[in-house]
């Protein structure tokens, strides 16, 4: 059975989607809570999935939880926090082998669903609050994760460009909140955030792989039914254009290789002209999204101005970022060369072979989505705000139908918004 898709609404704001495919020997269940990205709540929300996935009241410490997971043939319980447009996404997930591989015919789906429900709704509390040791450990690990992202200068440069470009928008807020906000958190604040999340968040439950979805539907219908939900539909506000000049920010750190990120606004998004989003994705691929792109072949290879140079398109908000590793003295030349390649795409200076190569690359990427449960989860979660949900195969067909005229049209709706450069300390003295 290949990709049997089922969708239900379990309660107000609680949506369920399963994609059953027996080619997998495993299954994955993820519960994703979506809340507006806000400075005053981002830090507390970010700790929640990690706290909730540590243990439950029935299995109150690491040893007992590990023993339970081992008894389920090495099942796993995990957590993540991310951003989807202007929404913060808190995820707690569970995964294990399909029931048909259990030696004693155990119902692994039911057992793991029970553990997952307990993690979300029945965590270990101490006087009504998350335990201090659990809280302090997750707070420390979150701070370490923030520091680790600062150490990755390519990721750091993209983050800083996003913060500058979207300073007045929710998307400019880190998925973890600020370091200062995480340090200032209290157990009481995080406990209140947990209760608020269960009551008010938009919930997307995804069940993927070789699994019968009905037991999961029944379990979460029951657990969410026991909560007094106060859900209000979320708004995925459109990013707005900048009024005034283009910000140019240069920072200096102890780096050998410079980083430059150009932030651009794209008129085509899931909210504005969603029918042209496939063409906009193809435009980004031709511009800088593949090894055959104009940025790679010209700016990196022919002109040797960058160690790497590629574009990243965010269809939810209509944003595009060009990331590059550049020698300090070449940043101005590289920026000019990148914008010249954008202008070339806007003017239609690309061949039918370029379009074919980009389509083949994208279709191949969509085909590989169905080879991984984690990739499938990301695929369907990313379409939460879309007016219509497509399978990877269906979306590949949409990309295949995009025309030269549509590609040019979306390219003409791209404009430079922000320029961020990261240079070495010695450059600051010059």
């Amino acid at each position: 059975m290949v990709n049997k898709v089922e969708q239900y609404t379990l309660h107000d704001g609680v949506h369920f989607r399963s994609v059953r495919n027996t080619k997998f020997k495993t299954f994955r269940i993820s519960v994703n809570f979506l809340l507006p990205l806000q400075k005053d709540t981002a830090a507390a929300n970010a700790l929640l999935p990690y706290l909730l996935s540590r243990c439950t009241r029935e299995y109150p410490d690491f040893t007992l939880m590990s023993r339970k997971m081992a008894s389920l043939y090495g099942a796993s319980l995990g957590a993540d926090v991310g951003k989807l447009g202007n929404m913060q996404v808190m995820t707690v997930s569970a995964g294990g082998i399909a029931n048909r591989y259990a030696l004693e015919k155990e119902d692994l789906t039911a057992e793991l669903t029970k553990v997952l429900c307990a993690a979300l709704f029945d965590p270990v509390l101490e006087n009504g609050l998350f335990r201090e040791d659990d809280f302090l450990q997750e707070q420390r690990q979150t701070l370490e994760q923030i520091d680790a992202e600062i150490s990755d200068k390519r990721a750091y440069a993209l983050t800083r460009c996003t913060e500058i470009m979207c300073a007045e928008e929710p998307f400019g807020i880190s998925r973890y909140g600020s370091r200062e906000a995480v340090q200032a958190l209290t157990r009481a604040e995080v406990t209140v955030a947990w209760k608020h999340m269960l009551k008010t968040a938009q919930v997307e439950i995804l069940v993927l792989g070789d699994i019968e979805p009905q037991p999961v539907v029944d379990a979460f219908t029951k657990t969410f039914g026991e909560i007094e939900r106060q859900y209000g539909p979320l708004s995925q506000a459109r990013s707005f254009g900048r009024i005034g000049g283009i910000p140019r920010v240069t920072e200096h750190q102890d780096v050998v290789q410079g980083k430059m990120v150009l932030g651009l606004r794209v008129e085509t998004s899931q909210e504005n002209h969603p029918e042209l989003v496939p063409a906009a994705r193809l435009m980004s691929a031709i511009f800088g999204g593949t090894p055959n792109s104009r940025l790679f072949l010209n700016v990196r290879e022919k002109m040797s101005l960058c160690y790497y140079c590629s574009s990243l398109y965010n269809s939810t908000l209509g944003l595009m970022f060009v990331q590059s590793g550049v020698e300090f003295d070449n940043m101005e030349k590289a920026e000019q060369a990148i914008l010249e390649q954008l202008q070339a795409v806007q003017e239609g200076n690309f061949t039918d072979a370029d379009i074919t190569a980009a389509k083949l690359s994208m279709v191949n990427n969509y085909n590989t989505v169905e080879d991984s449960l984690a990739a499938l989860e990301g695929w369907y979660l990313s379409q939460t705000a879309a007016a219509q949900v497509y399978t990877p195969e269906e979306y590949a067909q949409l990309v295949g139908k995009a025309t030269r005229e549509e590609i040019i049209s979306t390219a003409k709706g791209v404009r430079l918004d922000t320029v961020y450069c990261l240079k070495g300390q010695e450059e600051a003295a010059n």
Side-chain angles (χ1 to χ4, degrees), residues 252-268:
H252 298 270
Q253 293 185 10
D254 186 16
V255 296
V256 176
Q257 182 189 110
K259 310 294 180 186
M260 182 174 68
V261 182
L262 307 186
L264 305 105
R265 302 279 177 175
V266 186
E267 290 182 4
T268 301

Side-chain angles (χ1 to χ4, degrees), residues 184-205:
L185 282 174
T186 66
R187 290 191 295 153
E189 288 174 316
V190 178
T191 305
V192 169
W194 166 58
K195 295 177 180 178
H196 182 264
M197 180 184 77
L198 293 181
K199 288 183 179 180
T200 66
Q202 177 176 326
V203 185
E204 301 291 331
I205 302 171

Side-chain angles (χ1 to χ4, degrees), residues 87-126:
M87 300 297 143
Q88 189 176 16
V89 185
M90 289 68 69
T91 301
V92 180
S93 59
I97 66 170
N99 282 355
R100 59 192 169 113
Y101 296 106
L103 298 177
E104 303 297 329
K105 306 301 181 183
E106 301 99 321
D107 191 342
L108 303 179
T109 299
E111 283 296 310
L112 202 51
T113 301
K114 180 181 176 182
V115 173
L116 183 56
C117 285
L120 295 171
F121 299 95
D122 194 20
V124 183
L125 300 178
E126 183 179 75

Side-chain angles (χ1 to χ4, degrees), residues 10-11 117 121 215-227:
L10 306 186
H11 291 283
C117 285
F121 299 95
V216 187
V217 171
D218 295 340
F220 281 103
T221 299
K222 180 178 183 298
T223 50
F224 275 105
E226 295 170 351
I227 292 179

